[in-house]
Amino acid sequence: MFTNFIYFIVVLLIYSTFQPSDETNFDASETVFLFAVTTLAFAIFCRLRFARIERRVHRQSQYLSDRQYNGDLARMSILAIVLFAVDIHVLNLPSFFAEIGLFASIPTLLALLFLSLFVGYLCIVWATAHGAFERLYGGETSLKTYVSSNVSSSVPVLFPWLALSAFSDIVFVLPFETPKAVLSTAWGQIAYFLLFLVLVSVLGPAIIKTFWRCETLGPGLDRERIERLCERASLEYADILYWPIFGGKMITAGVMGLVKRFRYILVTDALLKYLSPVEIDAVISHEIGHVKKKHLLFYLGFFAGYMLLTFATFDLIVFAVVYAEPFLALGKAGGFDQSGVFSVLMSVSVIALFLIYFRFIFGYFMRNFERQADCYVYTLFDSGRPLITTLQKIAATSGGSPDKPNWHHFSISERIDYLNKCEQDRSWVARQDAKIKKSIAVYLAGMILAGAVGYALNFSEAGNKFNARFFEKIILSEIEKQPKNPRLHSILGDLYFSRKNYEGVRDAYETALYLKFDSPEVLNNLAWLYATCEDESFRNYPRALFLSKSAASLERSPHILDTLAESYWVNGMADLAVEAAQQALMLARQDREYFEKQLQKFKTAAPPKK
């Protein structure tokens, strides 16, 4: 289940780093053909892989078949991610939908469409794996139950993203400027993400239990025993639920929820059926341990830590990608758009950071939190033997090797070995607690360092200068390669404007106009410089008026009409300035207060002397 969570987050990263473009690598008919062929080939390949395991189940050991089955399941899931990445970055599928009205105004719907495509790929994997699953593990899990259980156990990871993105779309659709302004800042986005992370962590369990089709565990000895144990541990909760994952045939339990009102204890039918009462107590004590040791709260902190790490390293990733000349050249030689190659490299870099963080840092804490939860049994009971026998039963019924490694759990053998050490010497329980405290201290120190780096790169004066110089170097390097590209000169002018390098602004914009005169934005920006520059030596009122008229003839947008009004005004044409300012105000949907002040200025103030 946790591995599927990772798959979905990787897919989200692949999609979110893609930038739709007007030019796609293939036309519509070629894209449809390639999409159909690759999907069909993927389905056939999956079926062949799992059919081979079906044929071999009775001719080799259970452990070997289990290893092959789980290995192919992982490989086919990763192949599904690769196929999804090809759909996004090579076939450019989102570009064909991006301009459709509903998708353009609510981008979350388009993202949801493509995430559904990935779910479809995983359903192909699970459907073709079902036969091997039945042969290998026995039981009577139907194809529908097997596939739906995999979907329902994995898809909830998308709920936080869906809520986060949908609310953001709503904010930008509504005619309120303050929320948009807040969400447009780095700190606003961070606060927004953290607020949603907390809300989803608190309220999410209520949604997930419904999605998983959990039902209240009815009255009886099992419920009474669990209730007494929770009361003994002073654990407050909302309900004890029957968890029908894989038809309830897995021996497992769980707990979710940060607060009492939305905290649920989950048990499966197999756990209640195959474990003795003292073994059920041991499993529930493990789940209680997760709550008592604040593991759920730490997990929330680790997700926030990932955001901090991403924030701290994003600029560094951009710098590294921009300087990846061999890869950019290779993509260009292959006929792919430069922006597409850049998008792929960004996606790969961000995913690599995610996998390193969650596989090694988050995974390390998950394994040790599970061991700490195992050790919590000694807080409620004198012996951990019932938990040891439970683990032995799980190993015997799962069909897998007890020594099989797991990125988020120690192997069953390792868990049993540690519990045996605790049986002989209780100091091993304290050692595990101390290990986690030290590890958290090291983690926090690392996050503070990452936060300092992120702040320095994004907000300090030195960081701003570094970024400006870096991007200037990039743009100048590109101009050397493409000296007749007006867009590059325009970008350079924008950069110089932000740094108040007015001579650079003038030269860059004039060059851009020489190469391509009919650019309303460049005409407008240069006109604004000539009309309003704080360094009067760069003012040129007649040229400002000529340029602003040219820009307005190409595009009648509020900011361009505002520049035209300013140009009329500095040239002493107050009536025409008022007329242009009124048109700008009439068209303005944002920043109306600014346009109102401009209109009032043109009506009442005297123009500057020429």
Side-chain angles (χ1 to χ4, degrees):
M1 184 169 66
F2 287 108
T3 302
N4 286 338
F5 282 6
I6 298 295
Y7 294 156
F8 274 95
I9 294 174
V10 168
V11 163
L12 272 174
L13 292 173
I14 289 172
Y15 182 84
S16 62
T17 54
F18 173 75
Q19 296 297 323
S21 59
D22 295 330
E23 295 183 7
T24 56
N25 294 320
F26 307 97
D27 63 31
S29 59
E30 291 172 334
T31 300
V32 170
F33 175 75
L34 290 172
F35 172 73
V37 169
T38 53
T39 302
L40 180 60
F42 173 69
I44 293 172
F45 185 63
C46 288
R47 183 65 195 120
L48 292 174
R49 294 290 296 186
F50 289 111
R52 186 184 66 167
I53 296 174
E54 285 186 59
R55 293 192 299 268
R56 293 181 177 180
V57 165
H58 299 300
R59 300 202 304 264
Q60 58 189 22
S61 69
Q62 176 92 353
Y63 288 164
L64 180 58
S65 295
D66 173 78
R67 189 173 67 197
Q68 291 176 345
Y69 170 79
N70 285 290
D72 272 358
L73 198 62
R75 282 186 283 271
M76 295 305 101
S77 298
I78 293 171
L79 185 58
I81 295 175
V82 173
L83 186 58
F84 179 82
V86 169
D87 290 340
I88 302 300
H89 290 286
V90 179
L91 299 184
N92 306 128
L93 290 184
S95 296
F96 291 95
F97 296 86
E99 298 304 320
I100 296 176
L102 191 60
F103 292 143
S105 58
I106 309 178
T108 301
L109 291 179
L110 183 59
L112 199 57
L113 173 67
F114 282 97
L115 291 172
S116 300
L117 171 63
F118 177 68
V119 173
Y121 286 148
L122 287 185
C123 286
I124 291 174
V125 175
W126 295 325
T128 55
H130 176 256
F133 176 84
E134 283 291 285
R135 287 280 188 93
L136 184 56
Y137 303 114
E140 298 177 354
T141 304
S142 67
L143 173 62
K144 180 181 177 181
T145 300
Y146 178 71
V147 174
S148 63
S149 292
N150 273 294
V151 172
S152 63
S153 65
S154 306
V155 168
V157 74
L158 297 177
F159 290 164
W161 164 84
L162 182 61
L164 195 73
S165 299
F167 186 80
S168 179
D169 285 349
I170 292 171
V171 166
F172 281 97
V173 167
L174 294 176
F176 303 111
E177 299 304 322
T178 301
K180 296 177 187 177
V182 171
L183 287 182
S184 297
T185 66
W187 287 115
Q189 291 176 5
I190 292 171
Y192 173 60
F193 176 84
L194 291 178
L195 175 62
F196 249 93
L197 191 60
V198 172
L199 288 176
V200 169
S201 299
V202 171
L203 304 177
I207 301 172
I208 293 173
K209 78 178 182 68
T210 302
F211 190 82
W212 282 351
R213 303 189 305 279
C214 296
E215 298 178 357
T216 297
L217 184 66
L221 295 177
D222 290 326
R223 185 178 181 92
E224 291 175 6
R225 193 174 187 96
I226 295 172
E227 289 175 340
R228 285 198 300 269
L229 185 58
C230 291
E231 183 179 355
R232 179 180 170 187
S234 300
L235 177 73
E236 296 180 310
Y237 57 91
D239 203 355
I240 302 169
L241 303 175
Y242 166 68
W243 189 13
I245 184 171
F246 293 104
K249 295 180 173 61
M250 291 180 65
I251 301 177
T252 189
V255 63
M256 58 181 182
L258 288 174
V259 298
K260 169 192 171 182
R261 186 175 180 182
F262 299 106
R263 180 180 295 140
Y264 303 96
I265 298 171
L266 311 176
V267 294
T268 63
D269 184 59
L271 180 134
L272 301 176
K273 182 177 180 180
Y274 295 115
L275 299 188
S276 66
V278 292
E279 288 172 335
I280 294 174
D281 285 346
V283 172
I284 299 302
S285 70
H286 171 98
E287 304 304 333
I288 292 173
H290 281 305
V291 179
K292 290 296 183 178
K293 294 297 182 178
K294 312 295 184 187
H295 294 164
L296 303 180
L297 191 60
F298 280 122
Y299 289 150
L300 182 64
F302 289 134
F303 277 101
Y306 172 69
M307 181 185 174
L308 175 63
L309 189 62
T310 303
F311 169 73
T313 59
F314 186 78
D315 281 350
L316 297 175
I317 291 173
V318 172
F319 299 159
V321 169
V322 168
Y323 275 113
E325 287 291 339
F327 296 101
L328 294 172
L330 184 63
K332 187 175 181 180
F336 293 100
D337 181 67
Q338 287 288 90
S339 61
V341 177
F342 181 85
S343 179
V344 170
L345 291 175
M346 279 297 299
S347 181
V348 170
S349 301
V350 171
I351 290 169
L353 175 65
F354 168 80
L355 292 176
I356 291 170
Y357 181 87
F358 278 91
R359 173 63 179 83
F360 295 102
I361 299 176
F362 191 65
Y364 168 83
F365 281 102
M366 286 190 76
R367 292 192 299 274
N368 282 281
F369 283 167
E370 289 296 329
R371 176 167 285 175
Q372 190 177 42
D374 284 347
C375 293
Y376 190 78
V377 70
Y378 295 104
T379 303
L380 299 177
F381 302 102
D382 294 330
S383 173
R385 287 292 171 192
L387 185 55
I388 293 173
T389 57
T390 297
L391 292 171
Q392 290 170 339
K393 285 184 179 180
I394 292 173
T397 57
S398 67
S401 169
D403 300 319
K404 184 169 65 176
N406 193 316
W407 71 272
H408 56 84
H409 275 76
F410 287 108
S411 71
I412 290 179
S413 294
E414 289 175 314
R415 293 174 70 182
I416 290 173
D417 288 345
Y418 199 87
L419 286 169
N420 280 326
K421 289 180 180 179
C422 295
E423 284 291 302
Q424 298 170 12
D425 183 357
R426 293 292 191 273
S427 68
W428 285 97
V429 176
R431 289 185 191 184
Q432 182 64 18
D433 291 340
K435 178 183 179 181
I436 288 176
K437 287 180 181 178
K438 291 177 183 177
S439 299
I440 290 174
V442 172
Y443 173 82
L444 290 175
M447 288 300 103
I448 291 172
L449 178 61
V453 171
Y455 181 86
L457 285 174
N458 289 274
F459 299 105
S460 71
E461 184 178 349
N464 290 335
K465 288 181 179 178
F466 174 75
N467 284 331
R469 287 173 185 160
F470 180 82
F471 284 113
E472 180 183 4
K473 183 177 179 180
I474 293 171
I475 296 166
L476 290 173
S477 174
E478 288 300 310
I479 287 176
E480 285 184 11
K481 300 173 189 175
Q482 307 175 60
K484 295 185 178 181
N485 186 331
R487 179 62 179 157
L488 291 174
H489 292 281
S490 172
I491 294 172
L492 183 62
D494 295 342
L495 176 63
Y496 285 151
F497 221 135
S498 67
R499 295 167 59 185
K500 297 186 178 182
N501 178 356
Y502 298 124
E503 183 177 2
V505 174
R506 180 193 61 198
D507 294 344
Y509 283 155
E510 289 286 9
T511 302
L513 290 179
Y514 174 77
L515 295 170
K516 186 177 186 294
F517 187 79
D518 59 343
S519 174
E521 288 300 326
V522 179
L523 288 164
N524 177 77
N525 294 347
L526 186 55
W528 186 261
L529 174 76
Y530 286 144
T532 67
C533 186
E534 61 187 8
D535 185 341
E536 293 186 6
S537 65
F538 287 97
R539 293 184 186 177
N540 186 337
Y541 295 159
R543 182 144 176 82
L545 184 58
F546 169 73
L547 294 172
S548 60
K549 282 183 176 180
S550 299
S553 69
L554 295 168
E555 182 180 322
R556 306 288 288 184
S557 57
H559 70 286
I560 288 178
L561 290 171
D562 177 56
T563 301
L564 177 61
E566 191 78 38
S567 299
Y568 277 134
W569 188 64
V570 297
N571 279 280
M573 304 176 186
D575 292 341
L576 292 175
V578 169
E579 182 181 340
Q582 288 173 335
Q583 294 178 34
L585 179 61
M586 183 174 60
L587 293 174
R589 296 182 179 275
Q590 301 178 10
D591 300 325
R592 290 184 60 84
E593 185 178 349
Y594 164 80
F595 291 105
E596 288 171 353
K597 288 181 179 178
Q598 284 287 89
L599 177 58
Q600 188 64 26
K601 180 182 77 171
F602 300 142
K603 285 182 176 180
T604 60
K609 294 181 180 180
K610 294 184 181 180

